[in-house]
Amino acid sequence: MTTVRGSLSRRIVLLAVGIAVLTALLAGLLAVGLTRTSADESARRTLSRIADASAERADSGVVARASQAKAVRTLGALGVESASIGRGGAVTSTSALARDALTPARQRALLAGRTISTRDDLGGTLVLVEGRPTDAGGIILVQRRSDATADSDRLVRRVLLALAIAAVVAVVVSVAVARRLSRPLRRTADAAHALAAGHRDVQVPVEGPDEVAEVASALNSLSSSLSRSEGRQRDFLLSVSHDLRTPLTGISGYAESLASGVVPTEETARVGGVVLTEAKRLERLVGDLLDLARLGADSPSVSPERTDLVALGREVESVWSRRCAAVGVAFTFVPAVADAWAVTDPARVRQLVDGLLENALRVTPSGRPIVVEVRREAGTPSNFVVEVRDGGPGLTDDDLPVAFEPSVLHERYRGIRPVGTGLGLAIVGRLAQLLGGTVEAGHAAEGGARFTLRLPDHPAARAGTDATARAATTPTATTRTASTP
């Protein structure tokens, strides 16, 4: 199904025009209704006062009938048609309209002394009728509604004209406003299309309303982030290509020498050892790449279980203390708590800690320490921290924010200090995310780098910790420790 879309400018114009027309229509209807109602009431009050005055004038004459005739002539000059009725029932009028308005029922009412105030339709003409009894009989005044409200009709026409002009102005203003509002959005859309086409030097002026300016600012940030990310990807690919090429070159060269028979027999073992070393180096790099790819997958495998991080640390100590001692590095495990139960994947935690220790041992010189510490996070009952510190050259403040970016530190320190594949810390960062925790880089008190893994709090871990504490107070209780495979 195809969705029909219109431009924002067109929609704003149509919306503004619709609002302007609807407003003008409602205002016009209200103005016409109120004006006409007010004009009718005003005309009726005016005609009523004229009728009262005419009746009083007629009653105040010395000769009632003569005074009444004079009043009738005066009203004719005012545009009000009139008719009079005598006590004997004789009707006097020079106006056919007034004579028609003086119906027998109204004649009887006037002669009976009752006042008449009404509207009537005489032969298709809407008229106002006011009748007053007099000493001579009665007088009735008739005024065409069109004559009585002529001024109000002109006012209504002027109001309607003003509303029409206002609607036109609203349309013109809405078109200008729509174009002004849609211009930055159009530029932002064009910039987004340019980003999609591969351009990364796109910048949009931050202007317009707050919301539009925020969209432009966000797009500029996205452009900068994409540029940095793609730059890092290019650097990463260059670094990986270089690291792959180096062992491949060695393997190819020695393999050709062996195949051509130019290697003496007594050198065969040495050459084979070199080939084996380069092959293992290549295997390690490929393994790191595969680990990084797996950790970036949508659903990498995680098997959480209640794990004692202190026990895990002792397993790490049993392996890494010997490796560190072999190169003259002092390894220390510091359990700041008796046990540290957490619900996590012990194999993944061990993989993460091994990666940090591999990185630390590579750069830590002989005679300097490596420390692994497990402690409780300050201010929490069951949040635990696993920390790896070393006495190596450490990291600068600029290194800390990019420590877990693939190959960034590898490129910075290539040729300056021992470096690995450039993927170890990136794998550590992905593993921390996979476990639902965080890992951060910092400066160690031992003079080198500090890497702090924080694992999330978990109700099951708290329950296990409480159960362990209760069991510790029972003489027959035993404590179970989860081991890392």
Side-chain angles (χ1 to χ4, degrees):
M1 181 177 178
T2 303
T3 301
V4 180
R5 296 185 178 90
S7 67
L8 177 63
S9 177
R10 184 181 304 149
R11 291 186 178 186
I12 292 176
V13 170
L14 292 177
L15 179 62
V17 170
I19 293 175
V21 171
L22 181 61
T23 302
L25 181 61
L26 291 177
L29 290 175
L30 289 174
V32 169
L34 291 175
T35 302
R36 287 183 173 174
T37 301
S38 177
D40 285 347
E41 292 298 325
S42 178
R44 290 184 64 177
R45 286 194 299 270
T46 300
L47 187 62
S48 177
R49 287 194 295 269
I50 293 175
D52 292 340
S54 300
E56 290 176 2
R57 184 175 180 181
D59 290 339
S60 64
V62 177
V63 181
R65 185 175 298 277
S67 297
Q68 181 171 299
K70 184 176 180 180
V72 169
R73 289 193 298 272
T74 303
L75 292 174
L78 295 175
V80 178
E81 302 180 24
S82 62
S84 61
I85 182 173
R87 286 293 179 185
V91 176
T92 304
S93 177
T94 59
S95 168
L97 192 65
R99 190 179 300 110
D100 293 338
L102 192 58
T103 61
R106 290 170 181 162
Q107 292 179 21
R108 290 192 295 272
L110 290 175
L111 293 176
R114 294 195 299 272
T115 299
I116 298 172
S117 180
T118 186
R119 290 193 304 177
D120 201 356
D121 187 352
L122 302 177
T125 302
L126 189 62
V127 296
L128 304 178
V129 179
E130 293 289 334
R132 300 291 185 273
T134 63
D135 292 342
I139 187 172
I140 191 166
L141 305 183
V142 179
Q143 187 177 23
R144 290 179 177 82
R145 183 186 176 281
S146 58
D147 294 339
T149 61
D151 292 339
S152 66
D153 290 340
R154 286 194 294 271
L155 178 60
V156 167
R157 287 193 294 271
R158 290 175 181 176
V159 169
L160 294 178
L161 178 61
L163 290 174
I165 294 174
V168 173
V169 172
V171 170
V172 174
V173 172
S174 65
V175 170
V177 171
R179 289 182 177 177
R180 182 175 178 82
L181 289 177
S182 62
R183 189 181 300 115
L185 288 177
R186 172 52 56 191
R187 283 199 296 264
T188 304
D190 293 340
H193 290 308
L195 284 175
H199 301 285
R200 295 294 178 260
D201 56 345
V202 177
Q203 290 293 316
V204 181
V206 180
E207 60 182 14
D210 291 343
E211 294 80 1
V212 177
E214 185 176 354
V215 171
S217 178
L219 187 67
N220 290 338
S221 299
L222 175 62
S223 176
S224 301
S225 298
L226 286 175
S227 181
R228 288 193 300 270
S229 176
E230 291 187 356
R232 290 175 180 173
Q233 288 181 6
R234 285 192 296 270
D235 294 340
F236 171 69
L237 290 176
L238 289 173
S239 175
V240 170
S241 299
H242 179 273
D243 289 336
L244 287 171
R245 188 181 295 112
T246 300
L248 283 174
T249 301
I251 293 172
S252 298
Y254 281 109
E256 289 176 2
S257 298
L258 289 173
S260 61
V262 299
V263 178
T265 303
E266 63 274 12
E267 293 290 325
T268 301
R270 185 187 65 81
V271 171
V274 173
V275 172
L276 179 61
T277 300
E278 294 300 310
K280 287 185 176 180
R281 180 182 173 189
L282 183 61
E283 181 182 9
R284 182 161 57 96
L285 178 59
V286 173
D288 285 347
L289 287 172
L290 289 175
D291 286 341
L292 195 61
R294 291 191 189 102
L295 292 174
D298 292 335
S299 55
S301 61
V302 178
S303 301
E305 59 184 71
R306 287 191 64 238
T307 304
D308 184 4
L309 300 177
V310 172
L312 188 146
R314 296 200 182 282
E315 293 179 0
V316 170
E317 180 185 23
S318 66
V319 175
W320 282 92
S321 58
R322 292 194 297 269
R323 288 190 59 180
C324 291
V327 294
V329 174
F331 181 90
T332 304
F333 173 56
V334 180
V337 290
D339 52 31
W341 291 95
V343 176
T344 187
D345 188 334
R348 294 293 189 182
V349 175
R350 177 63 186 273
Q351 182 183 1
L352 187 153
V353 174
D354 285 346
L356 291 175
L357 289 171
E358 189 79 44
N359 180 75
L361 186 59
R362 184 184 306 114
V363 298
T364 302
S366 178
R368 302 295 296 167
I370 290 179
V371 179
V372 175
E373 181 181 357
V374 176
R375 67 176 185 271
R376 180 177 285 108
E377 181 79 291
T380 62
S382 58
N383 257 17
F384 294 103
V385 168
V386 180
E387 194 166 82
V388 177
R389 305 190 297 270
D390 63 66
L395 301 173
T396 67
D397 291 338
D398 292 335
D399 293 336
L400 301 183
V402 295
F404 303 101
E405 295 289 338
S407 293
V408 175
L409 298 183
H410 180 269
E411 288 302 311
R412 287 184 183 181
Y413 294 105
R414 184 197 295 269
I416 300 176
R417 66 176 68 165
V419 294
T421 62
L423 304 177
L425 291 180
I427 293 174
V428 166
R430 297 288 178 85
L431 282 171
Q433 293 178 5
L434 182 62
L435 294 171
T438 60
V439 62
E440 66 177 14
H443 306 295
E446 290 77 9
R450 169 179 55 82
F451 295 96
T452 304
L453 169 66
R454 290 181 174 86
L455 294 174
D457 190 10
H458 196 284
R462 292 198 297 271
T465 302
D466 296 340
T468 301
R470 290 193 298 271
T473 62
T474 304
T476 58
T478 58
T479 302
R480 298 178 60 188
T481 301
S483 301
T484 304

